[in-house]
Amino acid sequence: MSCRDPFGLPLTTSPEAAAVWSRGLLDLLRLREGGAEQVSQALALDPTFALAHSTLALLGHEMCLPVDLPARLRDAQLHARRATDRERAHVHAVVRHVAGDPAPLVAHLVEHPRDALLLSTAVPTIAFAGVTEVPEQAWAIVEAAAPAYDGHWWSDGLLAFMRQEQGRFDEAMELSCRSLAAEPSAGHSAHARAHAHYETGDHHAGLHWMDGWVTGDGARTVSLSHFSWHAALHELSLGDTDAVRRRHRDQLGTDRALGCRALVDTGSLLFRWALTAEGEDVPGLAGVLATTGRETLARPATPFLALHAAVVLLATDDVPGLRTLARYAESHVHPVHREVVAPVVHALIVLARGLPGLAADCLGAVADRTWRLGGSDAQREVLEEIRIAALLRAGRLDEARMMLDRRLDRRESPRDRTWRGRCARPARPAGPGGPARASVSGAAGPPAGA
């Protein structure tokens, strides 16, 4: 009998390597630690295992794991020659995806919807950036694949995440809870539930549940910092900055965040905390910069990472770094880099030069395109908050108030209510450097310019 993965697909390798790789796949789908290590172990058991090579390449590309990317891609293609048609198509899809061409991966899933690793890769999740620019395309991929999984806990979790993106929060909660009942450590399901709590302003209940999950069933989650970020976002929304400080100290320090998660989770939290009206004595970003590395800040692999690189560069007042990132985005083969990342970075450069009104206008001009950056609404909100801060520093209080009113219409937030209250106060004129000097040390002061 041929070796098969947990979803019944044949694997061209030894039984021992197949078993280890399959355990690694399930841990990757759970978002549990040890998945990448098990894939590496499978490769050690069978150096000719094409899917093990391509999986490591994919993880290196998407999650900033230390992988010899060209070597893994080369060996995957070499050994795929002796594999099944499905495995050859899988490897080809990974190679093209890393090169910036998502079409083969999307086409592959039409023929092989039970190729769970590539399905996870195709849609924006906590683990992967996704290959589609239009949310409806990602939703359609998940919807089309769902019948092939027949209510599997992982598929339910992925579908739950799509439902919360669609604003169908009751369905998202039902699916995520059903998945977690079957597999309590299911990371995607927990992630969907976290978003459902946040997007409905259910901060107290969401925080209580998340605190229990990250210290219980989710304690072995490889992306634990992101769930801690979700908890901190509830605390920030509630205006409880003392709790945010404890959360950062105990769960979000860069010694706990792996690879790009330090940039995406810890870096963005510190910046948003510094923009908060009560944002005082915010820890610095030196650890985030050291963990992320200069190459990721200058040449981020995805538009989503580029957004967070730009935010951290702004927060540290690194105008040369922002200009380097802008040049990279302008010349990138991917249109989202050119059409969205580049104008966002230029807006932040303008902000760093002390022109908050112009920066707010530049961010407003690209606001209807920022969804193309990937990630979630909750993550991309950082650009909305930068724009509000810029409007306040420019003295354009009515516009800032309207933006905050729209936020409060979406969900309740004591933080935003406090922020809105400051709109009635006279704005402090923006001096040289303006609000961009949010070095996340408290130097920037509250975004309302109070």
Side-chain angles (χ1 to χ4, degrees):
M1 180 180 293
S2 63
C3 301
R4 294 185 179 272
D5 76 2
F7 300 95
L9 299 178
L11 298 173
T12 305
T13 186
S14 68
E16 296 79 11
V20 174
W21 185 87
S22 294
R23 289 198 297 271
L25 171 64
L26 288 175
D27 278 344
L28 290 173
L29 297 181
R30 291 185 182 98
L31 302 179
R32 182 187 288 177
E33 62 187 16
E37 290 77 8
Q38 290 180 90
V39 173
S40 295
Q41 183 182 348
L43 191 58
L45 290 168
D46 179 7
T48 70
F49 188 6
L51 259 61
H53 285 288
S54 66
T55 301
L56 288 178
L58 185 63
L59 296 176
H61 174 73
E62 294 278 344
M63 302 178 71
C64 302
L65 294 186
V67 169
D68 187 341
L69 190 59
R72 295 287 71 74
L73 292 174
R74 182 189 63 239
D75 290 348
Q77 292 172 292
L78 172 66
H79 298 300
R81 296 172 185 171
R82 71 183 188 92
T84 63
D85 289 345
R86 195 274 308 185
E87 290 170 289
R88 285 196 295 273
H90 177 114
V91 168
H92 176 68
V94 171
V95 171
R96 295 310 306 152
H97 169 62
V98 171
D101 175 15
L105 196 155
V106 175
H108 176 80
L109 289 171
V110 174
E111 296 294 325
H112 306 284
R114 290 178 69 84
D115 198 329
L117 181 61
L118 292 195
L119 179 58
S120 183
T121 305
V123 297
T125 64
I126 189 174
F128 300 107
V131 301
T132 58
E133 295 180 19
V134 180
E136 288 80 1
Q137 292 176 345
W139 302 343
I141 291 172
V142 175
E143 297 278 6
Y149 291 89
D150 192 26
H152 189 278
W153 59 263
W154 175 74
S155 176
D156 276 354
L158 204 59
L159 193 58
F161 195 79
M162 298 301 105
R163 290 289 181 259
Q164 67 81 25
E165 285 193 328
Q166 295 164 342
R168 297 160 64 174
F169 299 115
D170 288 344
E171 293 177 62
M173 187 66 75
E174 180 182 353
L175 283 163
S176 61
C177 290
R178 186 171 76 192
S179 173
L180 287 163
E183 175 50 69
S185 66
H188 288 302
S189 308
H191 192 211
R193 179 169 176 174
H195 276 277
H197 280 297
Y198 177 70
E199 296 297 346
T200 57
D202 191 15
H203 299 302
H204 289 288
L207 180 59
H208 176 75
W209 176 79
M210 183 58 72
D211 271 335
W213 191 80
V214 297
T215 57
D217 294 321
R220 288 187 55 202
T221 300
V222 71
S223 300
L224 202 57
S225 67
H226 186 67
F227 291 96
S228 297
W229 175 85
H230 271 283
L233 206 58
H234 284 305
E235 292 163 341
L236 197 60
S237 297
L238 291 167
D240 190 351
T241 54
D242 287 339
V244 176
R245 188 180 308 281
R246 291 191 296 271
R247 182 83 54 183
H248 174 263
R249 181 194 65 208
D250 297 339
Q251 297 179 359
L252 275 162
T254 51
D255 59 323
R256 299 172 182 269
L258 299 174
C260 301
R261 296 250 65 98
L263 177 68
V264 172
D265 298 324
T266 308
S268 69
L269 174 70
L270 292 175
F271 184 80
R272 293 172 75 164
W273 178 7
L275 288 180
T276 302
E278 297 81 12
E280 299 178 354
D281 300 322
V282 181
L285 278 164
V288 172
L289 294 174
T291 302
T292 302
R294 179 54 57 179
E295 177 66 14
T296 298
L297 294 172
R299 301 176 61 83
T302 66
F304 178 68
L305 284 178
L307 162 64
H308 287 84
V311 166
V312 168
L313 291 168
L314 172 67
T316 54
D317 202 24
D318 188 349
V319 177
L322 283 168
R323 289 182 174 139
T324 297
L325 178 58
R327 288 192 295 270
Y328 168 74
E330 288 167 340
S331 61
H332 202 283
V333 64
H334 199 300
V336 178
H337 279 279
R338 300 193 306 271
E339 297 167 10
V340 187
V341 172
V344 164
V345 176
H346 280 296
L348 300 192
I349 291 172
V350 170
L351 190 56
R353 292 175 55 206
L355 301 169
L358 179 57
D361 291 338
C362 292
L363 288 172
V366 76
D368 63 349
R369 285 176 273 159
T370 55
W371 56 266
R372 296 173 62 191
L373 293 167
S376 67
D377 291 340
Q379 290 168 313
R380 294 188 301 271
E381 276 181 351
V382 66
L383 290 177
E384 186 178 65
E385 295 185 3
I386 293 171
R387 186 180 170 197
I388 292 169
L391 286 170
L392 289 165
R393 286 297 178 92
R396 292 159 57 177
L397 304 185
D398 288 342
E399 294 172 73
R401 189 182 302 114
M402 286 191 293
M403 289 190 68
L404 285 163
D405 283 343
R406 287 195 293 270
R407 284 166 65 95
L408 287 165
D409 284 343
R410 294 201 304 268
R411 76 181 70 88
E412 179 54 37
S413 169
R415 175 207 187 201
D416 282 356
R417 290 203 176 277
T418 300
W419 204 353
R420 188 190 184 285
R422 291 174 178 261
C423 293
R425 304 181 186 184
R428 181 178 64 204
R437 297 187 180 275
S439 58
V440 195
S441 64

